Amino acid sequence: MGSLFSSCWILVLVLLRLCALNLADSVLKKNGFVSKNNYVSASGDPGMKSPNVRVALEAWNFCNEVGMEAPGMGSPRLAECADLHCSVQLSDSGGQRKCEVHQKVNESDNRLKAGDKFPAEEFESVTDPDLFAVEKELYLASLCEVHQSAKPWYFWMFMLKNGNFDKNTTICPENGKHVSKIITSRNFPCFGKGCMNQPLIYHNYSRLVYSGSQALYLNGGFFGTYDLDADLSRGVGNNSFFSISWKKNLGTGSWIFSHKLTTSAKYPWLMLYLRSDATEGFNGGYHYKGRGIMSKLPESPNFKVKLTLDVKRGGGPNSQFYLLDIGSCWKNNGKPCDGDVLTDVTRYSEMIINPATTSWCRPDNLVSCPPYHVSSTGEIIYRNDTSRFPYSAYHLYCSPGNAEHLEAPYDICDPYSNPQAQELVQILPHPEWAVHGYPEKQGDGWIGRSRTWELDVGALSDRLYFYQDPGTERARRVWTSLNVGTEIYVSREGETAEWTVSDFDVLVPEDATYFSDSAY
């Protein structure tokens, strides 16, 4: 009898083990991937090594819309897509390499404004500046499209944002809802009517840089100001200013993207990021379908990011410099976003490396902490466990404004700065994140400490707390935008940040199989 009982018990254990393995396998498949340890690039331009230029620029107002176009500038969506064509010409003295630049986007394309007719009939012209910008991005992308893989890709995106918000207007919705009057105790900068304007943008088209008679690489850039009365030919002066330029690192073959951002008294809150966006679908922070460079979408917990960052000037104490800012969108019930701004929620996680940024999450300020922390071993530590919760690993956490089952105490994220509700997890250098290749202590990666980072973003992002309605299936954490840059948050005086990014790559499992791509 004992022997029969033991045999039956062993059989039960084997069956349970098989069920557990099948369940784990089904969960992996349901989440959209079955992974090994081999990774491949998700980017159309792995490591930024294409010889051709593929860049675009988008400018947003406070709620990630256009609102109004700057005089004479057209819709604030521009692109440069330049192909480098080289050939060897034979002569009596031998062969000589001759190179030419072929521009695929011309000035008239970049100056298209709301109401203008597109040169291609498949793109619809509208007079609404917000909707026209969406269509213009798609049109510019059609000129820049690259077919080197199963899916086409388009461009790296530079994103500018003006943090001014005029509460006397109703330009921005409140958690996605249009309101007849904005009533809030929150303070936002605004010098008066028109403070949410779009910038003046100028373009230095790429040209060949030579060493003697040998063509080496292309060099170009965008620059401008939010001060509409500024004359930059006389210098920046006390005006706001931004610039982005590109050239090649002759050692690694990577593009070096150089960025500069200066705030002013009228424009004390400005943002400038380099974005690696999805090639289709919603991008982080935006509720329209856009274009980008990632032909495969990175999904937690299996993806990595490599990049070289050199911060030359920090932008002052209020510069929330992001080594990496990842953005996505899913509903509070865990379902993918579908464009319904009343139920969609933008989700962000941002690693801030400015050592002047302190932790607002403290034992005496639990409202700025996530409800719990997940350790690297999977242990859940609640924020009121003052002896074990890693408060200094977080700058702040805030909840989506349309969540219905929040755990007190809680703070709602700013309801106006996205077209829908948003949730934000801002983290700081800490040993908790260093296990994934992130900075371990304040000052790592800051001014004078340039380095190449290899970040296990998938593993870290899988540990972070994000709100979901009770009893709902955990959302697939599919990230549609990965950003590097700074948000100079309401500077007390004019501040300047300056930095370069190169070798940027997003890596996903070689055998990853993603399902329902169209949902994102």
Side-chain angles (χ1 to χ4, degrees):
M1 183 69 176
S3 176
L4 178 61
F5 178 80
S6 298
S7 298
C8 291
W9 181 241
I10 291 171
L11 179 60
V12 168
L13 289 175
V14 170
L15 290 173
L16 287 173
R17 176 62 175 165
L18 287 173
C19 287
L21 290 173
N22 287 334
L23 177 61
D25 184 60
S26 68
V27 167
L28 284 172
K29 289 179 179 178
K30 195 167 188 178
N31 282 340
F33 56 84
V34 178
S35 173
K36 295 179 181 177
N37 292 322
N38 296 324
Y39 284 76
V40 296
S41 178
S43 175
D45 182 14
M48 295 180 157
K49 293 187 178 181
S50 170
N52 303 317
V53 177
R54 286 296 183 277
V55 295
L57 184 148
E58 60 184 357
W60 289 350
N61 66 16
F62 187 68
C63 46
N64 296 359
E65 296 281 15
V66 174
M68 64 191 78
E69 297 172 351
M73 290 290 111
S75 179
R77 299 292 184 272
L78 296 88
E80 177 170 322
C81 299
D83 288 348
L84 182 61
H85 289 267
C86 296
S87 61
V88 176
Q89 295 186 340
L90 299 177
S91 65
D92 294 340
S93 58
Q96 185 176 7
R97 187 169 179 259
K98 180 177 177 59
C99 295
E100 295 179 341
V101 184
H102 293 183
Q103 294 285 353
K104 304 176 77 67
V105 180
N106 58 42
E107 187 70 12
S108 61
D109 296 318
N110 279 329
R111 292 302 178 195
L112 287 168
K113 63 183 184 300
D116 284 350
K117 183 179 179 180
F118 288 99
E121 291 183 357
E122 63 266 34
F123 299 95
E124 182 182 359
S125 177
V126 292
T127 57
D128 184 315
D130 297 333
L131 298 178
F132 185 87
V134 177
E135 199 73 0
K136 185 177 178 182
E137 181 174 333
L138 301 180
Y139 167 68
L140 293 174
S142 73
L143 303 178
C144 300
E145 188 171 306
V146 180
H147 291 275
Q148 289 179 337
S149 57
K151 287 188 176 182
W153 57 277
Y154 304 96
F155 32 55
W156 298 97
M157 182 66 79
F158 302 113
M159 193 204 92
L160 278 163
K161 183 169 178 176
N162 176 2
N164 283 349
F165 179 37
D166 187 351
K167 294 188 289 186
N168 294 319
T169 71
T170 55
I171 294 175
C172 297
E174 187 175 273
N175 289 318
K177 297 178 182 178
H178 286 282
V179 293
S180 58
K181 186 177 181 180
I182 292 176
I183 302 174
T184 178
S185 60
R186 296 173 186 256
N187 293 317
F188 302 97
C190 179
F191 56 76
K193 186 177 180 181
C195 70
M196 297 175 68
N197 63 284
Q198 295 296 334
L200 304 177
I201 304 172
Y202 305 101
H203 186 178
N204 290 324
Y205 280 86
S206 290
R207 58 181 179 82
L208 281 167
V209 176
Y210 287 86
S211 175
S213 61
Q214 182 181 2
L216 297 180
Y217 57 82
L218 297 174
N219 176 221
F222 296 109
F223 68 98
T225 177
Y226 277 92
D227 292 84
L228 299 180
D229 58 351
D231 181 358
L232 294 181
S233 66
R234 300 180 178 181
V236 176
N238 294 322
N239 296 303
S240 60
F241 181 75
F242 61 87
S243 69
I244 309 114
S245 63
W246 47 89
K247 66 177 183 179
K248 277 286 185 176
N249 181 329
L250 297 180
T252 67
S254 168
W255 288 105
I256 302 174
F257 289 130
S258 300
H259 310 74
K260 188 173 184 179
L261 182 65
T262 298
T263 58
S264 66
K266 289 175 66 177
Y267 301 93
W269 185 1
L270 296 176
M271 289 147 264
L272 176 59
Y273 310 124
L274 170 67
R275 292 169 62 109
S276 174
D277 290 330
T279 55
E280 57 185 275
F282 303 126
N283 294 332
Y286 210 41
H287 61 303
Y288 302 115
K289 293 183 179 180
R291 292 290 183 261
I293 201 162
M294 291 190 297
S295 55
K296 266 192 173 180
L297 297 184
E299 180 172 359
S300 306
N302 291 343
F303 73 96
K304 301 177 181 180
V305 173
K306 293 183 179 180
L307 64 99
T308 299
L309 175 65
D310 183 4
V311 182
K312 301 178 184 301
R313 301 174 69 180
N318 291 345
S319 174
Q320 293 184 322
F321 201 102
Y322 304 134
L323 168 64
L324 200 63
D325 168 354
I326 60 176
S328 188
C329 187
W330 60 82
K331 297 179 186 291
N332 289 328
N333 62 8
K335 301 296 183 182
C337 290
D338 56 13
D340 180 355
V341 293
L342 297 180
T343 56
D344 288 353
V345 181
T346 305
R347 320 279 175 167
Y348 296 111
S349 170
E350 300 162 338
M351 163 61 78
I352 302 173
I353 60 171
N354 185 347
T357 303
T358 60
S359 175
W360 293 3
C361 169
R362 302 184 305 272
D364 61 349
N365 191 43
L366 296 182
V367 71
S368 293
C369 305
Y372 60 79
H373 169 79
V374 180
S375 74
S376 59
T377 61
E379 183 182 9
I380 292 178
I381 305 171
Y382 290 93
R383 60 184 168 184
N384 59 359
D385 187 345
T386 56
S387 63
R388 302 173 64 229
F389 189 94
Y391 299 100
S392 59
Y394 294 90
H395 173 54
L396 69 83
Y397 165 80
C398 59
S399 305
N402 61 356
E404 297 179 350
H405 305 280
L406 294 174
E407 180 182 335
Y410 60 83
D411 187 21
I412 299 297
C413 293
D414 168 46
Y416 308 108
S417 61
N418 266 244
Q420 58 217 21
Q422 60 177 321
E423 183 176 22
L424 189 63
V425 186
Q426 291 187 323
I427 58 178
L428 299 172
H430 194 277
E432 277 293 311
W433 316 127
V435 296
H436 304 302
Y438 280 74
E440 181 177 7
K441 59 185 183 300
Q442 295 282 5
D444 286 351
W446 198 232
I447 300 169
R449 301 182 185 182
S450 170
R451 60 175 285 187
T452 298
W453 298 92
E454 297 188 13
L455 308 173
D456 193 343
V457 188
L460 186 150
S461 60
D462 201 52
R463 291 171 54 190
L464 298 175
Y465 171 87
F466 286 100
Y467 171 86
Q468 272 197 230
D469 293 334
T472 57
E473 186 175 351
R474 190 179 195 256
R476 286 178 59 188
R477 298 186 176 186
V478 181
W479 303 95
T480 54
S481 294
L482 308 175
N483 315 315
V484 182
T486 193
E487 172 177 357
I488 302 180
Y489 178 74
V490 193
S491 56
R492 296 179 181 87
E493 55 189 45
E495 298 282 3
T496 295
E498 194 171 356
W499 68 99
T500 66
V501 178
S502 56
D503 309 306
F504 199 149
D505 207 354
V506 181
L507 304 172
V508 297
E510 183 179 33
D511 58 348
T513 303
Y514 292 96
F515 302 96
S516 303
D517 283 348
S518 60
Y520 294 92

